[in-house]
Amino acid sequence: MKKILILNGGPRMHNNTAKLLASAGEGAVSAGASTETIDLYKLNFTDCRSCLACKNKKMAVPWKCYWRDCLTETLQKVYEADAIIIGSPIFFGEPTGVVRSFMVRSTFPALSYDDYQSTFPGKIDVAVILTMNADQNYYDKHYKSHMEEYFQPFHYLNGTTEILTSFDTLQVPDYSRYRMASWDEAKKKAHHAEQFPKDLQAAFELGRRLASRQ
């Protein structure tokens, strides 16, 4: 049975990103995989401390992050997984800070400074789910190539890396309560009603595809 680890890198535990991740998990389970979901915002951890323990010749496992904090247990689950699905909203044109920190902690140890190859002996496929206010035209013009480059470090886990996007998302149920006059609430809700079910289905198919991959 394949193990798929689902990581919510958004601060909201029940909103767009979390819902898409849940649908991806359902797809994975439908294909026979086991899943576990972890909310990264519930963990107290830092980015890489540059301790370089993973590069020390005395360490028997060069691809492991040796810094111990609340991410340590999650990283061990990453090393044992067949695939991970990580989700993040886009803030200021970037994934959340916890996603960046997780990515560095899970991939930098595997980067060899001898030959810049991966020392990780396994193979972990990675799927990234991104949610954003931007529409697809804006994403394709300003974000797409950057996101593809941004998540390149996951290649040090020796698997495939793919990105699923959800555009023009509904931020809040009542826009009148917030200083958000740039968006038309009626249009936002109409788009959400039509498009988000399709995004959920795409996430479901993503999870099923990862679980079925040989």
Side-chain angles (χ1 to χ4, degrees):
M1 177 182 293
K2 281 198 171 184
K3 295 181 180 178
I4 296 183
L5 187 65
I6 299 171
L7 302 166
N8 181 12
R12 301 185 189 184
M13 310 305 170
H14 306 287
N15 216 47
N16 300 309
T17 304
K19 289 176 181 177
L20 289 167
L21 288 169
S23 188
E26 291 169 4
V29 170
S30 75
S34 66
T35 65
E36 180 180 357
T37 300
I38 297 172
D39 291 301
L40 292 179
Y41 268 81
K42 290 183 178 180
L43 305 180
N44 183 15
F45 66 96
T46 71
D47 205 326
C48 174
R49 296 292 189 111
S50 195
C51 68
L52 294 180
C54 60
K55 308 292 185 264
N56 192 314
K57 292 181 178 180
K58 294 181 180 180
M59 297 298 186
V61 183
W63 43 265
K64 178 181 179 181
C65 178
Y66 284 91
W67 190 270
R68 298 195 62 81
D69 58 16
C70 288
L71 191 63
T72 301
E73 182 178 351
T74 297
L75 288 174
Q76 184 58 41
K77 292 177 180 180
V78 170
Y79 303 145
E80 296 169 356
D82 296 293
I84 62 174
I85 305 174
I86 185 165
S88 176
I90 296 293
F91 295 158
F92 278 120
E94 300 282 341
T96 59
V98 295
V99 167
R100 169 70 182 182
S101 296
F102 167 81
M103 181 172 67
V104 175
R105 291 278 299 276
S106 62
T107 61
F108 175 69
L111 167 61
S112 170
Y113 274 171
D114 289 330
D115 56 10
Y116 290 90
Q117 300 300 306
S118 176
T119 60
F120 184 63
K123 174 181 173 292
I124 302 172
D125 292 322
V126 178
V128 180
I129 296 177
L130 298 176
T131 59
M132 66 202 80
N133 283 312
D135 61 24
Q136 185 167 0
N137 288 334
Y138 191 93
Y139 176 85
D140 289 344
K141 183 176 180 180
H142 298 285
Y143 291 168
K144 188 174 187 292
S145 61
H146 174 56
M147 289 299 107
E148 290 170 351
E149 181 179 2
Y150 188 93
F151 291 109
Q152 282 290 320
F154 280 129
H155 290 170
Y156 288 108
L157 299 179
N158 299 328
T160 60
T161 303
E162 58 184 298
I163 299 174
L164 177 71
T165 46
S166 179
F167 306 111
D168 197 13
T169 54
L170 189 68
Q171 298 162 287
V172 292
D174 183 0
Y175 279 71
S176 67
R177 296 177 56 195
Y178 303 89
R179 296 183 181 93
M180 293 181 170
S182 296
W183 292 286
D184 185 316
E185 180 174 354
K187 288 183 178 179
K188 276 279 191 181
K189 288 185 174 180
H191 175 81
H192 182 79
E194 178 182 359
Q195 183 60 42
F196 200 67
K198 298 177 184 178
D199 294 341
L200 289 171
Q201 183 61 34
F204 182 92
E205 296 298 335
L206 170 67
R208 184 162 62 181
R209 188 167 63 252
L210 278 178
S212 301
R213 187 170 293 162
Q214 299 300 318

